[in-house]
Amino acid sequence: MTDAPNGAPQQQLKMSILAQFVRDMSFENAVALKGLQSSDVQPEMQVQVSLDARKRPTENQYEVITKFKITATNKATETPLYLLEVDYGGIFHIEGVPDDQMHPFLLIECPRQLFPFVRRIVSDVTRDGGFPPFNLDPVDFVALYRAELARRAETEKPADAPVS
């Protein structure tokens, strides 16, 4: 413990990943199902990311789930190539994070720790599915968190509130 600027004791941050796991995964290869109609394939990728976190019954333990939905379509014909959905989770033991900072910590720092593993899974699954490996670009979890806060603030505004 160290002293905070106001003289109060401050607990040091401790974080460990207790477990990582694929909670759910689906890979749909539209090319294999329907057959490729054209040799002119120009993949266009769309990636959606969502996050979920919850407190576990054990003290100082939290579960964080990162959800990725990756859609590949042929830009030339706008036909689907594949759809990959993966929910990847981690169980974290966290101490020393103030209560008012726990929510952003769970939805920013924890997914940041899980990301390299999800990236590898996505790359392997797309390659094993018969496509070039898809390497996810790094995700800005801070921007994702801020966007979600803004979205929630917008939906919680009263209907008669003035728009600024």
Side-chain angles (χ1 to χ4, degrees):
M1 286 213 190
T2 60
D3 285 343
N6 63 2
Q10 181 181 6
Q11 189 176 13
Q12 187 169 349
L13 171 66
K14 293 179 186 176
M15 178 178 89
S16 58
I17 302 173
L18 303 176
Q20 296 180 63
F21 54 95
V22 174
R23 186 171 75 178
D24 189 28
M25 185 168 60
S26 169
F27 182 77
E28 299 172 23
N29 184 335
V31 173
L33 296 174
K34 297 178 183 174
L36 190 58
Q37 303 297 327
S38 168
S39 61
D40 183 24
V41 177
Q42 301 171 1
E44 184 172 57
M45 308 303 290
Q46 180 182 9
V47 178
Q48 296 173 316
V49 182
S50 61
L51 304 168
D52 189 24
R54 69 178 182 88
K55 174 87 174 86
R56 292 175 51 91
T58 306
E59 187 177 1
N60 298 322
Q61 284 191 11
Y62 301 86
E63 181 178 315
V64 176
I65 303 293
T66 59
K67 301 175 183 185
F68 288 83
K69 180 178 180 181
I70 300 151
T71 307
T73 56
N74 186 352
K75 190 174 182 177
T77 61
E78 296 184 9
T79 56
L81 298 172
Y82 65 83
L83 170 65
L84 171 59
E85 295 177 305
V86 62
D87 294 2
Y88 190 78
I91 298 174
F92 295 84
H93 180 93
I94 301 169
E95 294 180 41
V97 176
D99 289 343
D100 64 332
Q101 295 174 18
M102 185 59 79
H103 190 255
F105 188 86
L106 290 173
L107 296 178
I108 296 170
E109 189 55 38
C110 293
R112 193 178 298 166
Q113 298 295 317
L114 297 175
F115 180 77
F117 302 96
V118 175
R119 186 176 196 204
R120 174 69 187 267
I121 290 168
V122 167
S123 178
D124 288 350
V125 169
T126 54
R127 184 198 66 232
D128 293 347
F131 295 93
F134 178 63
N135 290 313
L136 284 169
D137 287 335
V139 175
D140 184 349
F141 291 106
V142 173
L144 193 65
Y145 181 77
R146 287 179 180 158
E148 179 61 16
L149 288 181
R151 186 195 66 78
R152 286 184 183 183
E154 188 65 31
T155 59
E156 292 173 3
K157 279 185 181 177
D160 59 350
V163 178
S164 53

